Amino acid sequence: LEGDIKQEGQTQQTISGEINKLTGEINKTSAEISKKNTLITNIKGEIRTKENTLQDLNDKLRREKESLEKILRKRYELGDATLFEVILSNRRFSDFYEDAPAFSYVQSSLSDSFEYIGNLKSEIFGEKTSLEKKREAENNAKYSLGLAKNKIESQKKDKNTALSVSQSKEAG
């Protein structure tokens, strides 16, 4: 009888130890879940920022294209008349020299606009790539969070089972 009581006491200690161990694991996993939730929240904030930046860049691109259209219209209005064409068209020679600075400005504006559009497109591509990486990181964090939640549920079941065994041994 004394041996049975001693063995019963050791079994209870083993079960108590298991329960304490499972409680520690549950707390650790809960902390991991909390960290992952914070990470996901931060990533979502970064994604919103990237989306806003991307929208701003697309707006700039749209405005620059509208400006480019105006510049092209002005260039068309000025025409591509050369000195020889001015002489042949019976236009006054002074008209050609009056239009030359405006034409030069339009040509320079065209060049600047094309360069700016190229830079914007490059920046937009970079932002889109960065956004995709952030979304991928968010998905990975969510997947990891799901695994952690499954782990904690399993640990809770094991703890409840150990508690049930302990309580039935005490009652019996």
Side-chain angles (χ1 to χ4, degrees):
L1 182 66
E2 194 172 303
D4 287 340
I5 293 174
K6 188 175 182 182
Q7 185 177 2
E8 188 67 32
Q10 289 174 344
T11 302
Q12 285 292 49
Q13 283 180 338
T14 302
I15 292 173
S16 265
E18 266 310 299
I19 290 171
N20 289 337
K21 179 181 169 191
L22 288 169
T23 301
E25 288 177 11
I26 288 169
N27 291 339
K28 180 181 171 190
T29 305
S30 292
E32 288 174 14
I33 287 172
S34 179
K35 285 180 187 177
K36 287 176 183 167
N37 279 329
T38 301
L39 174 67
I40 289 171
T41 300
N42 290 341
I43 290 172
K44 284 182 178 184
E46 291 172 11
I47 286 173
R48 275 191 298 279
T49 301
K50 290 288 180 192
E51 286 172 340
N52 290 339
T53 301
L54 200 52
Q55 183 62 43
D56 291 345
L57 288 172
N58 280 321
D59 289 345
K60 284 181 185 178
L61 183 61
R62 180 189 44 76
R63 286 191 305 271
E64 190 61 27
K65 284 182 177 180
E66 289 170 358
S67 174
L68 181 61
E69 287 175 20
K70 290 175 186 174
I71 293 169
L72 286 171
R73 272 191 234 107
K74 184 67 176 171
R75 182 173 186 253
Y76 179 74
E77 288 171 11
L78 290 175
D80 285 329
T82 63
L83 177 61
F84 184 69
E85 290 171 332
V86 169
I87 293 170
L88 290 178
S89 69
N90 290 331
R91 282 179 70 195
R92 290 185 322 193
F93 192 65
S94 61
D95 290 344
F96 176 76
Y97 284 104
E98 287 174 9
D99 288 345
F103 181 74
S104 176
Y105 173 76
V106 168
Q107 285 296 100
S108 174
S109 295
L110 275 175
S111 177
D112 292 346
S113 187
F114 282 127
E115 182 179 344
Y116 186 67
I117 287 173
N119 291 339
L120 277 176
K121 284 184 177 183
S122 199
E123 195 174 344
I124 287 170
F125 177 77
E127 289 294 328
K128 281 182 179 179
T129 302
S130 177
L131 180 61
E132 288 305 313
K133 287 180 182 177
K134 292 289 180 192
R135 285 187 174 142
E136 186 177 323
E138 179 188 22
N139 289 336
N140 288 340
K142 283 180 179 178
Y143 176 76
S144 180
L145 179 64
L147 292 177
K149 284 181 178 179
N150 289 341
K151 179 180 176 183
I152 201 168
E153 288 303 317
S154 174
Q155 290 169 336
K156 284 180 180 178
K157 284 180 186 175
D158 291 346
K159 179 181 173 182
N160 289 337
T161 301
L163 281 171
S164 295
V165 168
S166 175
Q167 288 170 350
S168 68
K169 292 243 182 212
E170 286 177 10

